[in-house]
């Protein structure tokens, strides 16, 4: 209880100069029973009621779709597959070229860069009705030094779920950043073991976030992925779905923290 109060006080102090914007994720949540939630479906198929569909595209790119037809692509590089598809939102981080593009399609309504002018970061809060997208800036390594607020953790709020994409996270967040993130139901986490941060540090982050579902990303072959899974198997259930997509709702979040391994696949009809 004391820890929660301290976090809330820290958040209030650190953000008092900023505009307060509503978020159902910055709250304490109850756990709900788990049922089957892996479903084979085309990305063009309707998303079930009260649900969000997540598809692992490649590297750190995911397609996030809500039941009302809204869509977002994370760490957008300009290529998501040989399909004619324009998402409503793309997010990007500029650690290197596999996480952004300087030339996003101008038809995309919302292009959210996770960085701003050097050291200033970005501040996004896009409310599309059925989906809210916001960010929490973090630092990145840059040319042997550090670029303050050069990365963003993006949070997607849809169907009552709080879904976090850690981007190219290079350090464990501070208390104020954890407080700004709020509750996390699903987290996409880089587990490369070095390009972002050492695996032990990433495991610390995931233990602190306490998401019901963790989806590993940014892994190369199965080496770092296997080491990550081995390091977490005493605390998290591990399910290798064999699929590239899963559908999640508040009603089917697992009881126990669970790592859901998805296999990347570019979009195709």
């Amino acid at each position: 209880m004391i820890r929660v109060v301290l976090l809330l006080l820290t958040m209030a102090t650190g953000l008092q100069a900023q505009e307060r914007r509503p978020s159902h994720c910055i709250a304490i949540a109850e756990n709900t029973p788990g049922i089957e939630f892996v479903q084979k479906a085309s990305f063009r198929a309707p998303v079930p009621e009260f649900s969000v569909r997540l598809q692992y595209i490649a590297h750190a790119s995911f397609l996030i779709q809500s039941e009302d037809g809204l869509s977002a692509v994370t760490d957008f590089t300009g290529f998501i597959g040989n399909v004619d598809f324009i998402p409503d939102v793309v997010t990007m981080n500029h650690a290197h070229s596999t996480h952004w593009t300087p030339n996003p399609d101008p038809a995309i309504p919302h292009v959210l860069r996770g960085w701003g002018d050097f050291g200033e970061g970005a501040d996004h809060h896009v409310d599309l009705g059925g989906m809210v997208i916001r960010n929490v800036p973090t630092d990145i390594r840059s040319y042997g030094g550090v670029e303050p607020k050069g990365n963003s953790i993006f949070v997607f709020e849809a169907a009552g779920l709080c879904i976090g994409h850690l981007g190219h996270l290079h350090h464990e967040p501070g208390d104020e950043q954890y407080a700004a993130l709020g509750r996390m139901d699903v987290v996409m986490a880089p587990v490369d073991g070095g390009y972002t941060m050492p695996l032990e540090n990433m495991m610390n982050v995931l233990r602190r976030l306490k998401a019901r579902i963790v989806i590993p990303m940014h892994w190369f072959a199965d080496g770092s992925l296997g080491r990550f899974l081995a390091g977490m198997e005493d605390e998290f259930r591990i399910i290798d779905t064999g699929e590239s997509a899963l559908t999640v709702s508040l009603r089917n979040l697992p009881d126990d923290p669970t790592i859901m391994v998805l296999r990347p696949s570019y979009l195709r009809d």
Side-chain angles (χ1 to χ4, degrees):
M1 184 65 182
I2 294 175
R3 186 179 184 85
V4 172
V5 171
L6 287 174
L7 281 176
L8 292 176
L9 287 173
T10 301
M11 181 178 69
T13 301
L15 302 181
Q16 62 184 355
Q18 299 181 16
E19 178 187 357
R20 287 294 198 146
R21 291 173 290 194
S23 167
H24 70 267
C25 298
I26 304 179
I28 302 299
E30 296 290 334
N31 295 327
T32 54
I35 58 175
E36 288 297 319
F37 41 79
V38 177
Q39 301 179 14
K40 289 188 176 181
S42 164
F43 78 95
R44 297 197 189 276
V47 177
E49 190 177 22
F50 308 123
S51 300
V52 174
R53 185 165 59 229
L54 307 169
Q55 175 150 346
Y56 190 12
I57 297 173
H59 199 54
S61 291
F62 287 81
L63 172 64
I64 302 172
Q65 295 174 288
S66 65
E67 63 176 297
D68 52 0
L70 293 169
S71 61
V73 173
T74 66
D75 279 28
F76 180 68
T77 64
F79 182 74
I80 56 178
N82 293 317
V83 294
D84 182 15
F85 180 72
I86 299 293
D88 297 291
V89 179
V90 298
T91 65
M92 301 190 293
N93 278 297
H94 79 149
H96 36 251
S97 61
T98 52
H99 297 265
W100 73 293
T101 174
N103 301 302
D105 192 321
I108 299 171
H110 302 279
V111 176
L112 308 183
R113 294 169 176 83
W115 70 99
D117 292 337
F118 188 91
E120 294 186 9
D123 181 20
H124 299 295
H125 190 279
V126 177
D127 189 343
L128 302 179
M131 184 185 293
V132 172
I133 305 95
R134 58 187 176 86
N135 74 305
V136 176
T138 65
D139 302 341
I140 62 170
R141 297 182 298 274
S142 179
Y143 301 104
V146 173
E147 179 179 350
K149 300 182 180 179
N151 175 76
S152 279
I153 298 173
F154 280 96
V155 179
F156 303 82
E157 305 185 14
L161 290 162
C162 307
I163 301 168
H165 185 279
L166 299 186
H168 215 271
L169 185 62
H170 288 179
H171 62 88
E172 295 187 35
D175 286 347
E176 183 177 327
Q177 290 164 318
Y178 278 117
L181 286 171
R183 183 185 98 234
M184 290 286 103
D185 300 308
V186 181
V187 171
M188 289 86 96
V191 298
D192 54 88
Y195 291 97
T196 51
M197 69 168 75
L199 285 177
E200 187 55 47
N201 295 101
M202 182 55 64
M203 293 175 191
N204 290 339
V205 173
L206 296 174
R207 293 181 186 113
R208 174 85 177 257
L209 289 174
K210 293 183 172 62
R212 291 289 114 184
I213 296 176
V214 172
I215 304 174
M217 66 173 186
H218 206 265
W219 42 270
F220 303 91
D222 283 354
S224 62
L225 174 62
R227 291 191 294 274
F228 169 72
L229 297 178
M232 298 293 278
E233 63 184 358
D234 291 339
E235 302 166 78
F236 284 67
R237 291 177 60 210
I238 297 172
I239 299 176
D240 191 338
T241 69
E243 302 291 339
S244 62
L246 63 85
T247 300
V248 186
S249 77
L250 280 175
R251 298 176 297 182
N252 68 11
L253 288 174
D255 288 328
D256 301 317
T258 302
I259 296 172
M260 304 287 294
V261 180
L262 300 180
R263 299 292 165 172
S265 177
Y266 286 110
L267 301 184
R268 59 184 183 274
D269 286 312

